[in-house]
Amino acid sequence: MEEKTYRVVKSDVEGMNEKIHRHRKRIVRWVAFAVTVILLTGAGTYIYLQTRTYSEYEVLKTVEREDSAGTKFEVFQGNILKYSKDGAFCVDVNNKMIWNQTYEMQEPVVDVCENYVAIADKKGDKVYIMDASGASGEIKTPMPIQRVQVANQGTVAVLMEQKGTGYIQIYDKAGTFLAEGELHTENSGYPLDITISNDGKKLAVALLDVNEGNVKTTITFYNFDTIGQNEIDNIVSQYSYADMVFPKVEFLTNDIMVAFGSQKTVIFEGPQKPQVKKEILVKKEIQSIFYNEAYIGFVFDNENTEISHNMKIYDLRGAEVVSKDFEMEYQEIGFLENDEVCVRNDLECAIYTLRGVEKYHANFEKSIWKVMSANKIRDYIFLVDGETQRIRLK
């Protein structure tokens, strides 16, 4: 038998590891390059879409809609709330009825907070509490209603007035009375406004005191939770401002409340006892205010300039986000659901981004009553006279 011979081959383990290491590095570099390209492309596309302007749109879908005279519109949980002196209707964007509530009111006003909406007869005595499925509760007040606020779990605060005395009453979502308090003008001042926190546990009141020609506004915070029960009349903090009027107060989140004043806007923050977080000085007369849960906005008249209005927007830290001049005369200004700003009158609409870019501006042949943002960057819902249109800017 022929004897087999064997040859011993010495393997280069270190060389193989080096090749594997270099190969892995090339893969990592290519993956990093691909990810960078994708991110830069996405960022570039986003910036392009955010800075692009439009003057036309295509109608993707039109649904006919019938409205009674004097109908007003609000957005409620992505649907459309229509209300007038004769009743309120909640419909989806296809005009499909979700619920309706009939009533007779001389001056219906609404307040919306996430899951609930309160519909009240200003200077009347009726409040209807509605949720996503319909009627939740009903309130009949003992005195004329001046202001109503609802929390996101249905708690309702009502400010009433009779013979110069202000009264505040708190109700649950079923309309059951919970608490009340009196605000005597000679002791505490005239109540200008109230606001309730999202969880219904904190209440803020702006009180105007005019004494021998001296004006003072006091912002009083009440806490109806455990902390407030240890305080006199549930008052946990108070702030007074001489020579200033604060006609509007509003909880924008559960723990952040903003007081809009004649000379400054004050941002308060605190889960139990709100404290001053930031003051924004106001140097011009405010024409309009608007806000959502993340931003506050102002419109001022521009003096001695060709452009008539100036819009400023701040975040809830009090930092200026954008300042933009515009000429359009308007009936309504406010934030859309995507944080863009819509400026509207009967036959004209403009949409601005938070970069200060006028994204869209056009005139309409039919009256336009409301604008809603949809789920795509160029898609919107236009409520025009007799129609609900889903549109795409182009």
Side-chain angles (χ1 to χ4, degrees), residues 172-196:
D172 67 12
K173 63 183 181 181
T176 303
F177 172 80
L178 297 177
E180 66 179 343
E182 295 184 12
L183 303 169
H184 294 280
T185 303
E186 63 273 15
N187 296 328
S188 53
Y190 178 81
L192 296 173
D193 198 18
I194 63 170
T195 180
I196 193 169

Side-chain angles (χ1 to χ4, degrees), residues 298-311:
F298 306 88
V299 177
F300 307 95
D301 273 353
N302 274 336
E303 299 177 356
N304 303 320
T305 63
E306 295 181 357
I307 301 177
S308 54
H309 305 298
N310 174 251
M311 170 176 60

Side-chain angles (χ1 to χ4, degrees), residues 56-208:
E56 298 180 353
Y57 65 87
E58 60 177 323
V59 179
L60 304 178
K61 185 176 183 180
T62 298
V63 179
E64 293 186 356
R65 196 187 65 249
E66 293 185 1
D67 307 316
S68 60
T71 297
K72 297 180 180 180
F73 302 88
E74 290 291 342
V75 180
F76 178 47
Q77 291 195 326
N79 297 309
I80 302 165
L81 174 65
K82 309 191 302 180
Y83 65 101
S84 65
K85 293 183 178 181
D86 302 318
F89 301 83
C90 185
V91 299
D92 64 17
V93 294
N94 296 313
N95 205 38
K96 181 181 178 181
M97 180 73 72
I98 299 174
W99 53 255
N100 72 298
Q101 177 65 57
T102 58
Y103 53 71
E104 291 185 5
M105 294 185 181
Q106 292 300 310
E107 189 179 352
V109 293
V110 304
D111 184 64
V112 178
C113 185
E114 296 182 14
N115 301 317
Y116 285 85
V117 55
I119 308 169
D121 190 9
K122 189 173 182 179
K123 299 181 182 178
D125 61 1
K126 282 285 189 178
V127 181
Y128 293 88
I129 309 168
M130 315 296 293
D131 60 20
S133 60
S136 174
E138 184 178 331
I139 301 168
K140 181 176 176 58
T141 63
M143 287 161 284
I145 298 167
Q146 297 299 318
R147 182 87 162 92
V148 64
Q149 282 256 295
V150 65
N152 64 14
Q153 69 341 2
T155 300
V156 173
V158 183
L159 173 63
M160 302 167 291
E161 182 187 358
Q162 192 172 62
K163 296 180 180 180
T165 298
Y167 298 85
I168 298 174
Q169 292 189 339
I170 310 295
Y171 300 83
D172 67 12
K173 63 183 181 181
T176 303
F177 172 80
L178 297 177
E180 66 179 343
E182 295 184 12
L183 303 169
H184 294 280
T185 303
E186 63 273 15
N187 296 328
S188 53
Y190 178 81
L192 296 173
D193 198 18
I194 63 170
T195 180
I196 193 169
S197 61
N198 292 8
D199 61 6
K201 295 180 180 180
K202 296 186 291 291
L203 180 77
V205 183
L207 296 161
L208 177 65

Side-chain angles (χ1 to χ4, degrees), residues 321-340:
V321 176
V322 67
S323 177
K324 178 69 176 179
D325 292 335
F326 67 97
E327 297 183 2
M328 176 180 161
E329 298 303 321
Y330 63 94
Q331 294 173 319
E332 181 184 29
I333 183 169
F335 287 105
L336 300 178
E337 295 71 34
N338 61 359
D339 289 336
E340 293 174 343

